[in-house]
């Protein structure tokens, strides 16, 4: 499947184009440092760090510590299932509290 289609599909899971590109790059190229990613993808380091933080939070990336720095690698694509399960739980919780919210707002 081409990268543009994958990027579009990843956007439905909350990733912007550069975050999806970063994830796909790491899937293809293996562990890298933030500096290596910044240079390889021609993305400003401050943007790379913001993208890394988001991807770590969403469990799209894993981080390892080496003697000379941190390396990042793409997490298993199966982790997308976990993200979807978390979203389903969040929506179920909202659904459960909706009747009480409506009742309070109507009164």
């Amino acid at each position: 499947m081409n990268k543009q289609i994958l990027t579009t599909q990843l956007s439905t899971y909350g990733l912007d184009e550069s975050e999806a590109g970063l994830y796909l790059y790491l899937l293809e190229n293996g562990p890298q440092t933030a500096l290596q990613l910044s240079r390889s993808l021609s993305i400003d380091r401050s943007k790379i760090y913001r993208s890394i933080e988001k991807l770590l939070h969403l469990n799209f990336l894993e981080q390892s510590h080496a003697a000379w720095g941190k390396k990042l690698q793409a997490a298993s694509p199966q982790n997308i299932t976990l993200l979807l399960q978390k979203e389903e739980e969040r929506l179920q919780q909202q659904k459960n509290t909706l009747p009480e919210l409506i009742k309070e707002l109507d009164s």
Side-chain angles (χ1 to χ4, degrees), residues 22-81:
L22 176 72
Y23 178 68
L24 294 172
Y25 180 83
L26 285 170
L27 275 176
E28 290 179 10
N29 297 288
Q32 307 273 319
T33 65
L35 179 60
Q36 289 170 320
L37 290 169
S38 176
R39 289 178 178 165
S40 297
L41 298 170
S42 300
I43 298 174
D44 183 63
R45 266 198 298 172
S46 61
K47 181 160 177 61
I48 283 287
Y49 283 110
R50 287 190 302 272
S51 295
I52 288 169
E53 287 303 314
K54 182 175 177 182
L55 292 168
L56 285 168
H57 176 73
L58 294 173
N59 295 316
F60 277 89
L61 293 185
E62 296 171 350
Q63 185 171 261
S64 62
H65 300 277
W68 47 271
K70 297 177 185 176
K71 283 213 166 188
L72 301 144
Q73 66 183 34
S76 167
Q78 296 299 319
N79 283 10
I80 297 172
T81 304

Side-chain angles (χ1 to χ4, degrees), residues 1-25 27-28 60:
M1 192 173 286
N2 80 32
K3 285 187 182 183
Q4 187 58 45
I5 292 171
L6 290 172
T7 299
T8 301
Q9 290 176 335
L10 286 169
S11 72
T12 65
Y13 295 95
L15 304 186
D16 66 25
E17 188 174 332
S18 65
E19 293 160 351
L22 176 72
Y23 178 68
L24 294 172
Y25 180 83
L27 275 176
E28 290 179 10
F60 277 89

Side-chain angles (χ1 to χ4, degrees), residues 85-99:
Q85 288 171 345
K86 286 181 184 178
E87 184 66 14
E88 287 173 338
E89 290 170 9
R90 185 187 67 77
L91 289 172
Q92 185 61 44
Q93 184 178 22
Q94 285 181 332
K95 185 178 177 181
N96 292 341
T97 60
L98 183 60

